[in-house]
Amino acid sequence: MNGADVDTGGGAGGTGVAVIADGHDRGGSPSRGPGRGRHGAGGRGRLMAGLRRRLVKRRIRIRRTRGRRLRRALVVLLALLANLVGAAVVAYHLTKIPEPHPETAMQSTVFVDDHGDYLGRRGPVDRQEIPLSQVPRYVQEAVIAAENRSFRTDTGISPRAIARAAWATVSGGDRQGGSTITQQYVKNALLSPEQTLSRKAREALISIKLDRTRSKDEILQGYLNTVYFGRGAAGIQSAARNYFGVDAKDLTVSQGAALASVINIPSYYEKAGSDPKVTAKLVDRWEWVLDAMAHSGAITSAQRAGARFPAFRFYPPGDTDGQRQYLIDAAASEAADRLGITEDQLARGGYTVRTTFDLTAQDATAELAADGTEKKTGEKTGEKAAEEKAADAKAGGKKRAEVKTTGDVRVHTAVVALVPGDGAVRVLYGGADYASQPFNDARDGAVEAGTALQPFSGMKLLAPLTDLTRTAAPTPLRLASAYATAAAHGVYATPYTVAKITRAGRTLYEAHPRTRTAMTRADAGMVAKLLYGRLDAAPATRTGAAGLRTLWQTTYDEHLTLTVALFAEHPAKGKKAALPAPLPYTAGSRSLSVSEGVWSKIVGTAEGHDPAAEPNPGLPTGQTKPILATR
């Protein structure tokens, strides 16, 4: 055994495997002792060396293929961009500029008096379209300074604003503003208000296309006619009236800058003028707008220095269902007839109806009539009562002065003032409150005539006065027209309340007196003689009555005819209908007060015109033009 020790362990049987001391088993295989074998230090070294060789080869390969891979990525990116651009181009060409929403196309019709003072409106939306030429340039520039200072040069969109709005939509954040004027117009007038990415994308495409196919002035005109200004006003024209009581063309620099400042938060700033906190905040924004205008050269430094924050009309406004609605009813009916459309079409058409009414005189009439309103009659004592009874005795007879009434009595007053030989109606007072009584006593009320028509008895009257004396209860308007015919030497002029109708600066209708001979000149002179006492006296006055139930008083000269009619009733209660009632003893003084007050108010607004200065083709040869004829 070469002298080596052999262990034959394994027990008594001696069957163990012998291990040779030199580290080899019998088969000659080397043993796996410590520090040896494939998991030894040598094996790990070879493994690490192999890894290093592979990493080096990979780095070399990456360096060699870097350019190729970059070129491939660039090609993919360019292909993607090309697809996006192509899709955008296709979408642009497929996108059509939609028509404005029906609600943005709706307009209201505005009524003004003979002097152009605002009377009221009719229509579902307080909006009137006007051409850009009727908006002063400095007002246009104020809106641009407030809303989109790059408007004149941009492409119709603001990429930054679009991205900000898109992120807000995706993240669920607050709605974002900052859109261009073009985008605002598209959003407000052409698209739905939903806040989605697809709508935003469509808004951008339409804005770009609109900017490329329409002029900046066309876009600005559409925007100014549709943007909301608060106070229920859509568009610059309605806003000018609601905030300052003027047309857009008459806005000052300060007023234009104030309206431009309101657009930002109209529901908040609409309270300016009545809420000090809101007013102070709007003043800050107003100054910011003016500074921008001065910086851009839209206004001079002198205009900026001289600007003062304008006075706003009080808001919220008062009751709109008051007495003026009688005037609007009459004018709306006549205007629709003149245009051959329905009153609903008139209200939605954006017309401006210039009426014949004198609003100053109308308001004075309402005030004078209201002073005598009585809900329950009773007796007055002292000197005042004696004066009123004396006046009543003069106007309506002693019997009326002595009458006493009990219970609730409602006194109706109707007043009509019109121009003889022309027909223009200056005052049409049909009641104190349209909301409680929409029926117009002056135009439609049948009031018992009594002795009011006696001056026309026995005359040969021609149309349209043929059956006048057989009419038991004429309307105050018709009776006033009859006396106006006598004042015009027998020339009857059809009463009218609409002087002119325009839309977007274009005249659609203009009134001309419609006259015809309804009585002879001699008969007209006879009426004048009965009323005047002598032919050259003026004005003439005729008092008539139907017992104690009605009281009429008409005053006229060649320039004005004024009729006041009073009647009374016990108001309806429950199922019990209204019943006629005797007029109170104050009716005579009331009639005189209204007649004299309205007469002086209207004649006082004639502005000192000489009636002989202009001929009137509607009157007989030699007669002068009424000083209050339609201007």
Side-chain angles (χ1 to χ4, degrees):
M1 293 287 178
N2 298 325
D5 294 333
V6 178
D7 182 3
T8 60
T15 58
V17 178
V19 178
I20 300 174
D22 63 2
H24 290 77
D25 61 16
R26 290 183 181 178
S29 298
S31 67
R32 298 178 181 176
R36 301 265 183 187
R38 65 187 178 198
H39 294 300
R44 283 196 300 273
R46 288 192 296 271
L47 180 60
M48 293 302 294
L51 289 173
R52 283 194 294 271
R53 284 194 298 271
R54 286 195 292 271
L55 288 174
V56 171
K57 291 178 179 179
R58 180 172 294 178
R59 283 197 294 267
I60 294 172
R61 187 164 57 250
I62 288 173
R63 289 196 204 98
R64 290 175 177 173
T65 60
R66 179 182 297 169
R68 185 167 62 251
R69 286 184 291 105
L70 288 176
R71 288 192 294 273
R72 288 177 180 174
L74 183 60
V75 169
V76 171
L77 180 60
L78 291 175
L80 179 61
L81 290 175
N83 287 332
L84 290 174
V85 171
V89 170
V90 171
Y92 174 83
H93 285 290
L94 292 178
T95 297
K96 295 183 179 179
I97 299 175
E99 293 295 322
H101 297 311
E103 57 267 27
T104 59
M106 290 180 185
Q107 302 182 60
S108 63
T109 286
V110 169
F111 297 82
V112 299
D113 82 341
D114 187 50
H115 302 280
D117 294 331
Y118 181 74
L119 181 61
R121 72 174 183 89
R122 286 282 170 85
V125 178
D126 190 0
R127 189 180 79 86
Q128 279 196 305
E129 283 193 7
I130 57 173
L132 192 63
S133 59
Q134 292 187 17
V135 182
R137 181 74 179 196
Y138 50 75
V139 177
Q140 300 175 33
E141 294 301 326
V143 172
I144 291 172
E147 292 297 304
N148 178 197
R149 296 180 183 180
S150 64
F151 170 73
R152 298 288 185 189
T153 57
D154 64 32
T155 60
I157 64 169
S158 169
R160 182 179 300 177
I162 293 175
R164 186 169 59 246
W167 173 251
T169 301
V170 172
S171 63
D174 294 335
R175 290 176 57 181
Q176 297 293 314
S179 299
T180 65
I181 283 176
T182 307
Q183 286 177 268
Q184 290 184 55
Y185 173 62
V186 169
K187 177 178 64 176
N188 295 334
L190 309 181
L191 294 178
S192 64
E194 61 179 337
Q195 295 294 310
T196 62
L197 288 175
S198 60
R199 196 205 63 79
K200 275 290 181 183
R202 190 162 179 243
E203 174 190 305
L205 288 172
I206 293 174
S207 298
I208 295 171
K209 196 161 194 175
L210 199 66
D211 188 78
R212 291 174 62 86
T213 58
R214 307 275 176 88
S215 70
K216 290 290 187 179
D217 280 353
E218 286 180 285
I219 295 171
L220 185 60
Q221 175 177 295
Y223 176 77
L224 288 175
N225 278 322
T226 55
V227 66
Y228 184 62
F229 285 87
R231 297 195 176 190
I236 189 71
Q237 175 73 344
S238 295
R241 283 199 171 123
N242 286 9
Y243 281 89
F244 303 113
V246 301
D247 289 328
K249 62 183 177 61
D250 298 320
L251 288 168
T252 65
V253 171
S254 293
Q255 290 171 338
L259 287 182
S261 302
V262 165
I263 297 174
N264 180 244
I265 320 175
S267 60
Y268 177 77
Y269 287 131
E270 68 182 2
K271 302 179 185 65
S274 58
D275 186 318
K277 183 179 179 181
V278 173
T279 304
K281 188 170 182 178
L282 184 60
V283 168
D284 290 340
R285 184 168 175 82
W286 170 79
E287 291 180 340
W288 174 74
V289 170
L290 285 174
D291 288 341
M293 294 175 68
H295 180 74
S296 67
I299 58 175
T300 64
S301 56
Q303 287 176 308
R304 175 64 186 96
R308 297 293 180 269
F309 191 74
F312 281 30
R313 296 179 69 187
F314 182 77
Y315 185 82
D319 183 11
T320 59
D321 289 328
Q323 190 269 331
R324 294 186 184 186
Q325 293 299 324
Y326 294 110
L327 308 183
I328 296 176
D329 269 0
S333 175
E334 184 176 325
D337 182 65
R338 295 290 179 265
L339 295 176
I341 58 178
T342 66
E343 288 191 45
D344 183 64
Q345 289 172 321
L346 177 79
R348 297 169 180 267
Y351 302 94
T352 295
V353 178
R354 191 183 189 96
T355 69
T356 61
F357 302 122
D358 183 328
L359 196 51
T360 301
Q362 183 75 29
D363 289 344
T365 304
E367 185 176 349
L368 289 165
D371 286 344
T373 299
E374 299 176 49
K375 297 203 83 177
K376 180 168 285 198
T377 59
E379 291 196 65
K380 295 183 180 179
T381 58
E383 186 178 347
K384 181 65 175 177
E387 290 176 358
E388 291 185 349
K389 288 184 179 182
D392 185 73
K394 179 181 177 181
K398 292 182 179 180
K399 289 185 179 179
R400 187 184 307 281
E402 296 167 356
V403 73
K404 297 179 183 178
T405 59
T406 58
D408 289 338
V409 173
R410 181 181 180 188
V411 179
H412 292 254
T413 303
V415 183
V416 176
L418 50 80
V419 179
D422 182 275
V425 178
R426 296 301 180 207
V427 173
L428 190 67
Y429 181 85
D433 186 8
Y434 184 88
S436 61
Q437 181 201 300
F439 184 82
N440 190 323
D441 286 330
R443 185 181 67 162
D444 305 314
V447 182
E448 193 173 1
T451 60
L453 292 175
Q454 279 184 352
F456 301 98
S457 299
M459 291 184 180
K460 183 180 180 180
L461 300 176
L462 304 177
L465 301 180
T466 306
D467 61 345
L468 177 67
T469 55
R470 298 191 299 272
T471 304
T475 67
L477 180 59
R478 190 175 189 209
L479 188 135
S481 299
Y483 279 100
T485 302
H489 308 297
V491 175
Y492 175 86
T494 303
Y496 66 97
T497 63
V498 175
K500 182 187 285 189
I501 304 173
T502 60
R503 181 167 63 177
R506 187 165 63 94
T507 299
L508 304 178
Y509 168 80
E510 191 162 9
H512 300 282
R514 292 185 292 170
T515 61
R516 61 184 301 170
T517 300
M519 66 177 69
T520 66
R521 191 179 182 90
D523 284 343
M526 183 61 66
V527 174
K529 186 175 182 179
L530 289 171
L531 272 63
Y532 289 150
R534 67 183 194 279
L535 287 174
D536 58 348
T541 299
R542 168 68 184 179
T543 300
L548 304 178
R549 298 178 299 277
T550 67
L551 180 62
W552 293 85
Q553 184 164 313
T554 297
T555 303
Y556 77 76
D557 62 12
E558 288 187 345
H559 311 304
L560 183 68
T561 296
L562 174 66
T563 294
V564 178
L566 277 75
F567 64 97
E569 67 178 11
H570 294 294
K573 291 184 178 180
K575 295 183 179 179
K576 187 177 180 180
L579 296 173
L583 284 166
Y585 71 84
T586 55
S589 60
R590 178 177 180 178
S591 176
L592 285 172
S593 174
V594 172
S595 181
E596 292 174 358
V598 175
W599 181 273
S600 62
K601 178 64 69 173
I602 296 179
V603 172
T605 62
E607 300 174 358
H609 292 312
D610 181 2
E614 302 177 62
N616 183 359
L619 299 180
T621 303
Q623 185 170 339
T624 55
K625 182 177 181 180
I627 53 177
L628 296 177
T630 302
R631 286 180 279 277

